Amino acid sequence: MGKGVVEGELEGEVEGEVEGEVEGEVEGEVEEVSDENGEGVGGSASPANGSPSQVKGSVQRSGEGSLTKAMPPSRTNSLFPPLPLYGPPSLLRNAQCAVFRCTSAVLSLVFLGVIVLGSAFTSIPLMFNHIWIRLKLQNPNKRRPFYEEEQRRSILRKEGEQEWRKKKARRQSNTVRDDNEADAGQNNGFTPTEGGPDPLICDVAYYARRVGLDMEEFKVQTEDGFLIDLWHIYDPSEYTPLPPASRSPLGPSAFPTSSSPPGPDPETKKKPKYPILMIHGLLQSAGAYCTNDDASLAFYLCKSGYDVWLGNNRCGFSPQHTLLSYSDPRMWAWNIRQMGVLDLPALIARVLSATGAPKLGLVAHSQGTTQTLVALAKEQRPDLGERISVFCALAPAAYAGPLIKKMYFKFMRLISPGAFRVFFGIHAFIPFMMTMHSLLPGKLYGALGYRVFSFLFGWSDDRWDRGLRDRMFQFSPVYVSAELMRWWLGRDCFAKQKCILQTREEWREEDTQYKVEEEKRSSPAATAADPESGVEDVERSESHAHKASTAWYDHRAPPFALWVAGSDLLVDGRRLLHRFASGREPHVRVVHQKIIEEYEHLDVIWAVDVVEQVGREVKEVLWATCEGREGWRVPVGCEEVDVWDGEGVVGRGKEKGGEGSGSPEGSGRVKSTKLDGRG
């Protein structure tokens, strides 16, 4: 991939951090620890898989605390530019940091204000159209594709709130036990322990208890010292949460060496549930998978019989580090690569350690797919693929969509890295958003959040349950670094290249080659060629070898399953499917792919019919690719799902009636395709 980036890893009482930029391929991580004289001492570090790193080239040294010297050049690595280097704290550096925080506080608020005004301005025509329809004595909501289903769910929620009030009033009476039994019968055996009107709070455990489940929180430490949140969704009727000491950070650790399931529970004699890890998108937390009551993907998969773990990336709602403080710019010197090669392995290792499983199923949405695609690349951390039974990508974000050309995104792409820091700082990206999240009432914040993000990212709530929309935005935004947003939107990286692992010139050249190949195949000369001459076989072999040389992944890549939103303006999932189908990735086996034409970017996790369109298929793909299935509990509805043989397609098992919810009517046109064999 050209130049690689070698990151500094903090270990012990580290006063400085040195990051190196190397020539050639980088296969691992290198620790650079500053000594008392500021000289970098290089040494090989062992990543989670235990393999030593080999690095060639020169090391870029720290700028002795000067932010001016820490500025990256305007022209940097086209895929993963080197991060800024910040030396140990000093009076000068602290003063410079304060200046950046002051300028960015003002300018980023101005930028945010422009976005808010823009969203308000574009809402005016919609408001007048809504009023006009009302004046004609019509209900504008009836035009929504799931209007009837939304009404049905709204009635059920109101009835549930009333029943909860009655239950609270009878709580001390002798009928409590009968109430619990009735609740369990109406909720497929899961007894809710919370209810009533929705308080609109940022608490996954609360919403899990509303559907008869619960959540326990683990702390996970990454190799570079960040403490991140891992949420475990469980059925309280068969699982007892671990004590806090067992859920505290364990420090960076290697993957467990187990190669078989842990075995049945000694008390209940039940087989364990197969673990799955779910990763969220940009500016979100893993709570995004838990907002639709029983139709939430996390709750649906948990009730179907999977052991569900929700992984959050670094910083999240409460930035924590073993050594660095919030005000230290070194705490914010990271982008998508660190999230992929450090956060994701730490989360996977902790889940495997807690469950005793040799592998897990990985489900990711949007940015979660990006960090996974980056981590699995053969120049990054390809050994991670050996711990994943299948990678389920929802709205995969590998190529940019047309929305990247919008004026507000173009502004961020045109300004230089130095100007970007003046506008957005060297710490968290517009932290004022998180401040407003904590101050505004949930309903007002939810309404504002929808308007602003809808304006920015070009999607609507047409296919969501509007009665739950305010809840959906209680779990976003979260703290992210300004460097991450510069990677997404700045002049050097994704916004310019429009791809996460290829330069713009490279993928355009591939498009040209593909067109030439298509013309050759369709030309009369190719049709009239002698099939026994062997010329066609030689050309095909040479073409295959050339494509393999530019592949992103090697033989360690796990099976892929992809669900693409056909009306997604933010990312171009079709281009990724085309890359796999054209033979550019000979080692990638696509187990399942589906294009849902009417879906937008967030519909793959929030649509009313998400269980029917996505959830059931994810459930089946996870089970079909599970290794050693005889040692795991069979998920509900997967009794007839065939074992994937490594080369074929996932068989469609029969669904039990009543699973999921949502009306099939108005579900839109669906294009479903399953590829056989390798991409």
Side-chain angles (χ1 to χ4, degrees):
M1 288 183 55
K3 292 185 179 180
V5 179
V6 181
E7 301 157 18
E9 181 179 351
L10 291 170
E11 183 175 10
E13 294 293 328
V14 180
E15 294 183 350
E17 183 180 72
V18 178
E19 293 179 271
E21 180 179 1
V22 300
E23 298 287 337
E25 293 186 353
V26 179
E27 297 180 352
E29 301 289 328
V30 169
E31 293 179 329
E32 290 294 329
V33 183
S34 298
D35 63 11
E36 295 178 355
N37 298 322
E39 296 292 327
V41 182
S44 63
S46 296
N49 64 347
S51 62
S53 305
Q54 296 179 352
V55 180
K56 300 177 182 179
S58 60
V59 175
Q60 180 181 347
R61 300 199 180 278
S62 172
E64 296 286 340
S66 170
L67 291 184
T68 303
K69 295 181 180 179
M71 287 294 181
S74 297
R75 296 287 181 178
T76 59
N77 187 297
S78 56
L79 295 172
F80 302 105
L83 294 167
L85 308 179
Y86 303 111
S90 65
L91 184 62
L92 176 60
R93 198 197 75 168
N94 292 342
Q96 291 174 319
C97 286
V99 171
F100 273 103
R101 296 187 73 172
C102 291
T103 59
S104 63
V106 175
L107 295 177
S108 64
L109 278 182
V110 172
F111 178 82
L112 182 61
V114 171
I115 297 299
V116 172
L117 289 176
S119 65
F121 182 77
T122 55
S123 298
I124 293 176
L126 298 176
M127 180 183 67
F128 278 109
N129 183 53
H130 187 91
I131 294 174
W132 175 246
I133 295 174
R134 290 286 186 186
L135 290 176
K136 293 191 295 184
L137 302 180
Q138 297 177 1
N139 185 354
N141 292 328
K142 285 189 175 181
R143 302 183 180 188
R144 295 173 60 81
F146 294 104
Y147 173 73
E148 294 182 359
E149 177 62 20
E150 288 182 78
Q151 293 297 108
R152 186 186 72 84
R153 293 187 182 186
S154 177
I155 293 172
L156 289 177
R157 283 194 295 269
K158 291 179 180 178
E159 291 176 351
E161 292 173 6
Q162 294 174 358
E163 185 61 31
W164 182 260
R165 292 192 187 97
K166 294 178 182 178
K167 181 179 177 180
K168 287 184 67 175
R170 301 193 302 264
R171 181 156 292 178
Q172 302 302 323
S173 68
N174 295 329
T175 60
V176 171
R177 184 174 181 180
D178 295 336
D179 289 341
N180 288 339
E181 291 175 354
D183 289 340
Q186 294 175 1
N187 203 28
N188 296 323
F190 297 91
T191 304
T193 54
E194 295 282 2
D198 187 354
L200 295 177
I201 57 177
C202 182
D203 186 351
V204 168
Y206 170 80
Y207 290 109
R209 291 192 291 269
R210 286 179 70 99
V211 296
L213 301 172
D214 211 333
M215 183 272 282
E216 61 177 345
E217 180 176 287
F218 287 71
K219 288 291 183 181
V220 178
Q221 182 177 335
T222 66
E223 293 175 52
D224 57 346
F226 281 90
L227 300 179
I228 55 181
D229 296 331
L230 175 64
W231 298 333
H232 181 210
I233 306 297
Y234 64 90
D235 179 1
S237 67
E238 61 177 43
Y239 175 84
T240 302
L242 298 175
S246 299
R247 294 184 273 119
S248 59
L250 300 178
S253 59
F255 288 112
T257 58
S258 173
S259 59
S260 59
D265 184 274
E267 296 182 2
T268 64
K269 306 301 181 183
K270 291 183 178 180
K271 293 180 180 179
K273 298 179 179 180
Y274 188 66
I276 63 172
L277 175 64
M278 307 181 76
I279 305 294
H280 58 83
L282 177 62
L283 293 174
Q284 289 185 318
S285 71
Y289 290 111
C290 306
T291 60
N292 284 20
D293 293 329
D294 281 316
S296 306
L297 285 181
F299 299 157
Y300 170 76
L301 292 172
C302 182
K303 290 188 175 184
S304 295
Y306 286 104
D307 190 9
V308 176
W309 298 75
L310 305 178
N312 293 278
N313 287 304
R314 55 186 60 200
C315 293
F317 290 114
S318 178
Q320 298 180 62
H321 195 279
T322 54
L323 294 175
L324 303 177
S325 63
Y326 176 92
S327 60
D328 194 323
R330 291 175 294 176
M331 186 172 181
W332 303 96
W334 50 269
N335 58 31
I336 195 70
R337 183 174 180 270
Q338 286 68 36
M339 296 167 67
V341 302
L342 297 175
D343 291 7
L344 187 59
L347 291 167
I348 291 177
R350 188 59 188 270
V351 172
L352 296 182
S353 176
T355 60
K359 291 187 177 184
L360 54 72
L362 181 62
V363 180
H365 171 247
S366 189
Q367 179 185 255
T369 68
T370 305
Q371 67 188 93
T372 305
L373 291 168
V374 168
L376 293 174
K378 57 187 179 183
E379 293 88 358
Q380 303 299 328
R381 205 152 190 173
D383 60 289
L384 195 62
E386 298 174 342
R387 296 294 179 169
I388 301 172
S389 59
V390 66
F391 170 38
C392 297
L394 313 181
Y399 293 92
L403 199 69
I404 201 70
K405 299 178 182 178
K406 288 287 187 178
M407 181 57 65
Y408 39 85
F409 291 144
K410 187 177 293 186
F411 163 76
M412 301 175 79
R413 186 167 70 251
L414 291 177
I415 61 177
S416 67
F420 195 98
R421 285 178 175 78
V422 171
F423 266 88
F424 302 106
I426 57 177
H427 295 82
F429 180 76
I430 315 184
F432 181 75
M433 294 187 295
M434 278 61 75
T435 302
M436 297 307 295
H437 190 184
S438 62
L439 296 178
L440 292 179
K443 194 169 186 63
L444 176 59
Y445 180 81
L448 288 175
Y450 168 72
R451 291 298 175 193
V452 171
F453 285 109
S454 175
F455 172 74
L456 277 175
F457 301 123
W459 34 251
S460 69
D461 67 348
D462 288 348
R463 310 187 72 80
W464 309 349
D465 186 343
R466 184 170 283 180
L468 299 177
R469 191 182 70 185
D470 292 337
R471 182 193 298 179
M472 296 170 180
F473 288 91
Q474 300 309 309
F475 297 97
S476 61
V478 296
Y479 286 96
V480 298
S481 70
E483 285 298 323
L484 173 65
M485 298 307 294
R486 190 173 77 86
W487 186 88
W488 278 113
L489 303 173
R491 65 158 55 172
D492 302 316
C493 308
F494 181 75
K496 175 184 177 181
Q497 308 301 338
K498 296 181 174 57
C499 180
I500 62 172
L501 289 171
Q502 261 186 326
T503 64
R504 182 169 50 184
E505 293 74 20
E506 288 171 343
W507 61 258
R508 283 180 175 175
E509 181 183 356
E510 288 187 357
D511 285 352
T512 302
Q513 292 173 355
Y514 177 76
K515 291 178 181 178
V516 171
E517 292 172 0
E518 286 295 306
E519 291 175 357
K520 285 183 178 180
R521 280 193 288 266
S522 59
S523 65
T527 306
D530 183 4
E532 298 182 358
S533 64
V535 175
E536 184 178 350
D537 292 337
V538 172
E539 291 180 350
R540 186 183 297 111
S541 177
E542 292 177 351
S543 175
H544 180 79
H546 174 71
K547 291 178 179 179
S549 67
T550 60
W552 299 347
Y553 306 104
D554 61 17
H555 64 281
R556 290 169 287 185
F560 281 44
L562 305 101
W563 286 260
V564 172
S567 300
D568 194 343
L569 300 178
L570 191 59
V571 298
D572 188 353
R574 283 186 172 90
R575 181 174 285 275
L576 182 62
L577 296 181
H578 172 70
R579 178 178 179 83
F580 292 153
S582 64
R584 296 287 176 185
E585 297 294 337
H587 295 290
V588 171
R589 297 157 295 169
V590 179
V591 181
H592 177 94
Q593 74 168 17
K594 180 176 184 178
I595 300 176
I596 311 174
E597 295 292 349
E598 303 297 328
Y599 267 26
E600 296 175 332
H601 191 68
L602 284 171
D603 292 346
V604 291
I605 60 173
W606 284 349
V608 170
D609 61 343
V610 70
V611 168
E612 288 76 17
Q613 300 284 25
V614 178
R616 289 178 179 172
E617 294 175 2
V618 169
K619 177 181 67 175
E620 293 178 359
V621 168
L622 288 167
W623 185 240
T625 54
C626 172
E627 297 181 8
R629 297 201 321 182
E630 63 280 355
W632 300 102
R633 193 182 309 181
V634 180
V636 177
C638 292
E639 293 81 3
E640 298 183 28
V641 173
D642 298 329
V643 177
W644 182 59
D645 60 6
E647 294 294 338
V649 299
V650 174
R652 176 71 180 172
K654 295 181 180 179
E655 282 288 344
K656 290 188 175 182
E659 277 198 78
S661 55
S663 171
E665 297 180 1
S667 59
R669 299 185 306 277
V670 176
K671 177 183 178 182
S672 179
T673 309
K674 296 180 181 179
L675 298 182
D676 55 346
R678 300 181 182 274

